[in-house]
Amino acid sequence: MNVDEFTAEHAPTETEETFDLENKYTLDVAVSGSLLAKAGSMVAYTGDLTFTGQATPEGGITGFIKEAATGEGTPIMRVEGSGHLYLADQRKEIQILRLDDGESLTVNGEDILAFESGLSYEITEIDSLAGAFAGGFTNVALEGPGHVALTTHGDPVVMEPPVTTDPGATVAWSATAPEVEVNTNLSDMIGQESGERFQMEFTDPGGFVVVQPYEEHA
Protein backbone atom coordinates (compact mmCIF):
# COMPACT_ATOMS: atom_id res chain seq x y z
CA MET A 1 0.00 0.00 0.00
CA ASN A 2 1.51 3.34 -1.03
CA VAL A 3 1.00 6.65 0.77
CA ASP A 4 -1.91 7.77 -1.42
CA GLU A 5 -3.71 4.46 -0.92
CA PHE A 6 -3.11 4.61 2.84
CA THR A 7 -4.44 8.16 3.23
CA ALA A 8 -7.44 7.49 0.99
CA GLU A 9 -8.40 4.31 2.84
CA HIS A 10 -8.17 5.86 6.31
CA ALA A 11 -9.41 9.39 5.66
CA PRO A 12 -12.54 10.53 7.56
CA THR A 13 -15.78 9.89 5.74
CA GLU A 14 -18.32 12.61 4.99
CA THR A 15 -21.61 12.10 6.81
CA GLU A 16 -24.85 13.87 7.61
CA GLU A 17 -25.21 12.04 10.93
CA THR A 18 -24.57 13.78 14.25
CA PHE A 19 -22.94 10.65 15.70
CA ASP A 20 -21.16 8.35 13.23
CA LEU A 21 -18.44 5.69 13.43
CA GLU A 22 -15.18 6.21 11.56
CA ASN A 23 -14.35 2.66 12.66
CA LYS A 24 -15.58 0.53 15.54
CA TYR A 25 -13.15 2.28 17.93
CA THR A 26 -13.53 5.93 16.84
CA LEU A 27 -16.61 8.13 17.06
CA ASP A 28 -17.07 11.13 14.72
CA VAL A 29 -19.41 13.76 16.18
CA ALA A 30 -20.62 16.61 13.97
CA VAL A 31 -20.73 19.36 16.59
CA SER A 32 -23.05 22.29 16.03
CA GLY A 33 -23.69 23.80 19.42
CA SER A 34 -22.68 21.62 22.37
CA LEU A 35 -22.43 18.07 23.66
CA LEU A 36 -21.06 16.23 26.68
CA ALA A 37 -18.23 13.70 26.49
CA LYS A 38 -16.03 11.67 28.78
CA ALA A 39 -12.97 13.74 29.67
CA GLY A 40 -9.80 12.47 28.04
CA SER A 41 -11.63 10.81 25.15
CA MET A 42 -10.80 13.43 22.48
CA VAL A 43 -8.26 12.16 19.95
CA ALA A 44 -8.65 14.88 17.29
CA TYR A 45 -10.98 17.61 16.06
CA THR A 46 -11.48 20.01 13.18
CA GLY A 47 -13.21 23.37 13.15
CA ASP A 48 -13.66 25.75 16.06
CA LEU A 49 -14.32 23.81 19.28
CA THR A 50 -13.78 24.63 22.95
CA PHE A 51 -13.55 22.19 25.86
CA THR A 52 -14.53 22.94 29.45
CA GLY A 53 -14.93 20.83 32.57
CA GLN A 54 -18.50 20.10 33.61
CA ALA A 55 -18.46 19.71 37.38
CA THR A 56 -21.89 21.00 38.39
CA PRO A 57 -24.41 21.24 35.56
CA GLU A 58 -27.61 23.21 35.96
CA GLY A 59 -29.95 21.65 38.43
CA GLY A 60 -27.20 20.85 40.90
CA ILE A 61 -26.50 17.38 39.51
CA THR A 62 -22.92 16.29 40.13
CA GLY A 63 -21.26 15.82 36.76
CA PHE A 64 -18.49 13.46 37.80
CA ILE A 65 -18.09 9.80 36.94
CA LYS A 66 -15.99 7.85 39.39
CA GLU A 67 -12.87 6.21 38.04
CA ALA A 68 -13.09 2.53 38.91
CA ALA A 69 -9.35 1.95 39.21
CA THR A 70 -8.50 4.93 41.41
CA GLY A 71 -11.69 6.07 43.11
CA GLU A 72 -11.12 9.59 41.76
CA GLY A 73 -13.68 11.56 39.80
CA THR A 74 -13.38 11.68 36.03
CA PRO A 75 -15.12 14.85 34.83
CA ILE A 76 -17.50 15.07 31.96
CA MET A 77 -16.33 17.74 29.53
CA ARG A 78 -18.62 20.09 27.63
CA VAL A 79 -17.66 20.60 23.99
CA GLU A 80 -18.99 23.71 22.25
CA GLY A 81 -18.64 25.21 18.79
CA SER A 82 -18.77 23.98 15.23
CA GLY A 83 -16.68 21.21 13.75
CA HIS A 84 -15.98 17.48 13.87
CA LEU A 85 -14.90 15.82 17.10
CA TYR A 86 -13.20 12.41 17.14
CA LEU A 87 -13.52 10.40 20.35
CA ALA A 88 -12.13 7.07 21.52
CA ASP A 89 -11.59 5.24 24.81
CA GLN A 90 -8.76 2.74 25.11
CA ARG A 91 -9.67 0.93 21.89
CA LYS A 92 -13.05 -0.13 23.27
CA GLU A 93 -15.77 -0.72 20.69
CA ILE A 94 -18.34 2.07 20.35
CA GLN A 95 -22.09 1.58 20.24
CA ILE A 96 -24.43 4.42 19.16
CA LEU A 97 -28.03 4.57 20.34
CA ARG A 98 -30.78 7.06 19.55
CA LEU A 99 -33.17 7.65 22.44
CA ASP A 100 -36.62 8.92 21.48
CA ASP A 101 -38.55 11.37 23.61
CA GLY A 102 -39.23 9.72 26.96
CA GLU A 103 -36.95 6.74 26.35
CA SER A 104 -34.36 6.18 29.05
CA LEU A 105 -31.06 4.35 29.41
CA THR A 106 -28.77 3.86 32.39
CA VAL A 107 -25.08 3.40 31.50
CA ASN A 108 -22.20 2.27 33.68
CA GLY A 109 -20.11 5.40 34.27
CA GLU A 110 -16.98 3.71 32.94
CA ASP A 111 -18.74 2.93 29.66
CA ILE A 112 -20.25 6.32 28.76
CA LEU A 113 -18.43 8.08 25.90
CA ALA A 114 -20.61 10.99 24.73
CA PHE A 115 -24.19 12.22 24.59
CA GLU A 116 -26.05 15.17 23.16
CA SER A 117 -26.62 18.05 25.55
CA GLY A 118 -30.37 17.87 24.91
CA LEU A 119 -30.54 14.61 26.87
CA SER A 120 -31.37 14.98 30.55
CA TYR A 121 -28.96 13.09 32.78
CA GLU A 122 -28.30 12.25 36.39
CA ILE A 123 -25.32 10.61 38.06
CA THR A 124 -26.46 7.76 40.31
CA GLU A 125 -24.78 5.13 42.46
CA ILE A 126 -25.82 1.64 43.49
CA ASP A 127 -25.14 1.86 47.22
CA SER A 128 -24.97 -1.87 47.78
CA LEU A 129 -22.12 -2.14 45.24
CA ALA A 130 -20.30 1.09 46.09
CA GLY A 131 -18.08 -0.52 48.69
CA ALA A 132 -17.64 -3.81 46.88
CA PHE A 133 -15.71 -2.58 43.85
CA ALA A 134 -12.67 -0.31 43.65
CA GLY A 135 -13.91 3.22 43.06
CA GLY A 136 -17.57 2.35 43.62
CA PHE A 137 -20.21 1.68 41.01
CA THR A 138 -21.49 4.89 39.44
CA ASN A 139 -23.98 5.16 36.58
CA VAL A 140 -25.35 7.81 34.24
CA ALA A 141 -29.14 7.80 33.87
CA LEU A 142 -30.15 9.39 30.54
CA GLU A 143 -33.50 10.35 29.05
CA GLY A 144 -34.17 11.25 25.41
CA PRO A 145 -34.51 12.57 22.89
CA GLY A 146 -30.96 12.45 21.57
CA HIS A 147 -27.95 10.32 20.73
CA VAL A 148 -25.69 8.55 23.21
CA ALA A 149 -22.46 6.66 22.54
CA LEU A 150 -21.28 3.95 24.90
CA THR A 151 -18.25 1.68 24.84
CA THR A 152 -17.82 -2.05 25.27
CA HIS A 153 -14.88 -4.41 25.55
CA GLY A 154 -15.68 -6.60 22.56
CA ASP A 155 -19.10 -7.20 21.04
CA PRO A 156 -22.01 -6.67 23.45
CA VAL A 157 -24.86 -9.05 24.13
CA VAL A 158 -28.34 -7.58 24.70
CA MET A 159 -30.58 -9.67 26.95
CA GLU A 160 -34.20 -9.43 28.09
CA PRO A 161 -35.19 -9.86 31.74
CA PRO A 162 -35.40 -11.96 33.73
CA VAL A 163 -31.60 -12.18 33.70
CA THR A 164 -28.82 -12.14 36.29
CA THR A 165 -25.54 -10.42 35.40
CA ASP A 166 -22.03 -9.83 36.67
CA PRO A 167 -21.87 -6.15 37.76
CA GLY A 168 -18.45 -5.71 36.18
CA ALA A 169 -19.71 -6.99 32.83
CA THR A 170 -22.94 -4.97 32.90
CA VAL A 171 -22.75 -1.99 30.54
CA ALA A 172 -26.29 -0.55 30.46
CA TRP A 173 -29.96 -1.23 31.00
CA SER A 174 -33.32 0.24 30.02
CA ALA A 175 -36.90 -0.04 31.32
CA THR A 176 -35.71 -2.28 34.14
CA ALA A 177 -33.80 -1.83 37.40
CA PRO A 178 -31.42 -4.21 39.17
CA GLU A 179 -31.58 -5.78 42.58
CA VAL A 180 -28.17 -6.69 43.98
CA GLU A 181 -27.78 -10.16 45.46
CA VAL A 182 -24.79 -11.61 47.32
CA ASN A 183 -23.69 -15.20 46.88
CA THR A 184 -22.73 -16.07 50.45
CA ASN A 185 -21.05 -19.27 49.28
CA LEU A 186 -18.25 -17.08 47.91
CA SER A 187 -18.12 -14.64 50.82
CA ASP A 188 -14.84 -16.07 52.09
CA MET A 189 -12.85 -15.34 48.93
CA ILE A 190 -9.91 -13.29 50.18
CA GLY A 191 -8.56 -10.46 48.05
CA GLN A 192 -11.22 -10.84 45.37
CA GLU A 193 -14.52 -9.17 44.57
CA SER A 194 -16.23 -10.74 41.60
CA GLY A 195 -19.49 -10.88 39.74
CA GLU A 196 -19.79 -14.48 40.93
CA ARG A 197 -20.19 -13.12 44.46
CA PHE A 198 -22.16 -9.95 43.67
CA GLN A 199 -24.95 -10.37 41.14
CA MET A 200 -27.42 -7.97 39.54
CA GLU A 201 -30.91 -9.40 39.07
CA PHE A 202 -33.15 -7.78 36.45
CA THR A 203 -36.75 -8.97 36.55
CA ASP A 204 -38.88 -6.18 35.01
CA PRO A 205 -40.36 -7.38 31.72
CA GLY A 206 -40.14 -5.27 28.58
CA GLY A 207 -36.67 -3.86 29.16
CA PHE A 208 -33.18 -4.93 28.12
CA VAL A 209 -29.71 -5.31 29.62
CA VAL A 210 -26.38 -4.86 27.80
CA VAL A 211 -23.43 -7.02 28.89
CA GLN A 212 -19.88 -7.33 27.58
CA PRO A 213 -17.35 -10.21 27.58
CA TYR A 214 -15.17 -8.44 30.17
CA GLU A 215 -15.29 -7.60 33.88
CA GLU A 216 -14.79 -3.83 34.20
CA HIS A 217 -14.65 -3.43 37.98
CA ALA A 218 -13.62 -6.75 39.45
Side-chain angles (χ1 to χ4, degrees):
M1 180 181 294
N2 62 32
V3 171
D4 290 340
E5 291 171 335
F6 175 80
T7 56
E9 180 175 341
H10 298 287
T13 55
E14 297 293 332
T15 178
E16 299 294 329
E17 299 292 333
T18 303
F19 279 31
D20 195 35
L21 293 179
E22 283 300 330
N23 53 56
K24 60 184 178 180
Y25 311 115
T26 309
L27 177 68
D28 176 1
V29 183
V31 182
S32 179
S34 68
L35 78 146
L36 294 161
K38 187 175 183 178
S41 61
M42 186 273 288
V43 296
Y45 71 90
T46 62
D48 184 13
L49 300 179
T50 60
F51 302 82
T52 55
Q54 185 73 12
T56 53
E58 293 181 4
I61 301 170
T62 302
F64 279 81
I65 298 174
K66 289 185 178 179
E67 180 70 29
T70 66
E72 299 176 355
T74 299
I76 297 170
M77 61 183 180
R78 180 174 291 276
V79 185
E80 298 178 291
S82 178
H84 279 264
L85 173 65
Y86 300 90
L87 301 172
D89 186 11
Q90 301 182 35
R91 208 170 179 268
K92 293 166 69 176
E93 294 186 14
I94 298 169
Q95 321 295 331
I96 301 172
L97 294 177
R98 162 75 187 182
L99 299 182
D100 291 333
D101 189 16
E103 284 188 321
S104 62
L105 181 73
T106 300
V107 185
N108 184 331
E110 186 62 26
D111 302 318
I112 193 79
L113 182 63
F115 54 93
E116 293 186 277
S117 58
L119 287 162
S120 61
Y121 77 100
E122 182 178 2
I123 309 301
T124 64
E125 187 173 84
I126 299 178
D127 293 338
S128 53
L129 288 175
F133 291 86
F137 198 86
T138 307
N139 306 295
V140 185
L142 302 156
E143 185 173 330
H147 289 90
V148 56
L150 48 124
T151 57
T152 59
H153 289 275
D155 293 333
V157 176
V158 179
M159 308 187 75
E160 295 183 2
V163 63
T164 300
T165 67
D166 177 330
T170 306
V171 174
W173 57 89
S174 178
T176 184
E179 292 289 337
V180 177
E181 300 292 336
V182 179
N183 186 337
T184 57
N185 293 329
L186 297 177
S187 61
D188 295 330
M189 293 179 68
I190 299 174
Q192 296 187 45
E193 297 294 355
S194 74
E196 287 74 31
R197 179 183 176 191
F198 294 92
Q199 300 172 353
M200 299 173 74
E201 292 189 354
F202 297 88
T203 58
D204 301 323
F208 65 86
V209 182
V210 182
V211 295
Q212 62 183 357
Y214 182 91
E215 290 189 36
E216 196 92 54
H217 293 279

